[in-house]
Amino acid sequence: MGCRSLLRQPRYACTRCAQTLESAELVCGRCQQQSISFDKTYAACIYEHPTDRWVQALKFNGQLSYARLMACCLQSQLQQFNCDIPLVPVPLHSRRYRQRGYNQAHEIARELSLACGHMVMDQVLERTRDTAMQSELSGKKRHSNVRNAFRANTTIAAKRVLLVDDVMTTGHTLRACADVLKRAGVEKVDAMVFARA
């Protein structure tokens, strides 16, 4: 696919949060200092032009074909995992879902499932608070914005899951989801995102 040539990946990245690093350290200083609930992050690319436009087109303009493109860019990383590891998309609040008509994380997970055979578990996590959009908040406010914003609807039998989203910026949303999943019985949560800011 020609558009893959537009994707840029960092030479070095933190194995926990996929943050770009200057050298081949395994874990960035932030991850060493903080408790992070997800175990590893897989990202197809750096969030920059033109991939930022792809994300905006999917998230806000209803251009669902970009979900297939993003899933295609993630397939090689997903193929490292056994097909029995389910995909858990980061949920939207019901009000925002009604406004948008779809959840971009679910659309990416659905396309990954069609391509690679992993089950999508889209009912296990629920966003219980209609939080402000993370992209509109400073880093400090993002943490409090998603604190206690998610819950598990059931005990989860899977011991390992892949938490799917379109973009990871500070990681607070993914961390909040991973916290809930681990309290619900999941032992290992890896994050899989199209782009890492």
Side-chain angles (χ1 to χ4, degrees):
M1 180 179 293
C3 51
R4 281 188 183 174
S5 64
L6 301 174
L7 304 182
R8 190 168 69 92
Q9 291 186 319
R11 183 174 180 188
Y12 304 113
C14 173
T15 57
R16 293 288 299 281
C17 74
Q19 179 64 52
T20 299
L21 298 175
E22 295 297 322
S23 61
E25 304 166 50
L26 292 177
V27 180
C28 70
R30 185 173 168 209
C31 286
Q32 291 176 27
Q33 295 171 4
Q34 298 179 0
S35 173
I36 295 182
S37 304
F38 50 86
D39 297 279
K40 190 167 183 177
T41 301
Y42 299 86
C45 63
I46 297 171
Y47 185 66
E48 61 184 9
H49 180 78
T51 56
D52 56 346
R53 292 187 180 180
W54 302 353
V55 169
Q56 300 298 316
L58 171 61
K59 187 178 286 191
F60 301 117
N61 297 327
Q63 296 183 31
L64 300 184
S65 60
Y66 280 101
R68 184 176 302 117
L69 171 61
M70 293 176 193
C72 182
C73 295
L74 284 165
Q75 278 182 37
S76 62
Q77 297 189 44
L78 184 59
Q79 288 168 353
Q80 302 174 38
F81 296 92
N82 293 332
C83 286
D84 59 351
I85 299 174
L87 307 173
V88 177
V90 171
L92 287 179
H93 187 267
S94 57
R95 185 185 70 82
R96 189 161 294 156
Y97 185 88
R98 286 193 301 271
Q99 288 176 338
R100 195 174 292 172
Y102 62 94
N103 173 2
Q104 71 278 0
H106 175 266
E107 295 300 320
I108 296 168
R110 185 174 66 82
E111 292 292 346
L112 284 169
S113 175
L114 290 171
C116 300
H118 293 251
M119 178 176 63
V120 178
M121 297 175 64
D122 60 353
Q123 301 298 320
V124 298
L125 272 183
E126 179 183 358
R127 190 182 292 247
T128 56
R129 284 195 298 109
D130 189 12
T131 55
M133 290 186 62
Q134 291 286 80
S135 59
E136 298 173 352
L137 301 174
S138 67
K140 290 182 179 180
K141 291 184 178 178
R142 289 181 185 217
H143 175 65
S144 58
N145 186 48
V146 293
R147 186 185 301 130
N148 300 319
F150 301 94
R151 75 173 174 208
N153 289 323
T154 181
T155 300
I156 302 167
K159 295 302 179 191
R160 185 179 189 184
V161 302
L162 285 164
L163 188 58
V164 178
D165 208 359
D166 54 350
V167 178
M168 179 179 173
T169 305
T170 61
H172 291 305
T173 299
L174 291 162
R175 186 182 309 178
C177 290
D179 282 339
V180 170
L181 290 168
K182 288 197 170 179
R183 287 197 299 268
V186 179
E187 293 176 3
K188 187 166 186 179
V189 178
D190 292 320
M192 182 163 282
V193 298
F194 169 64
R196 176 64 163 100

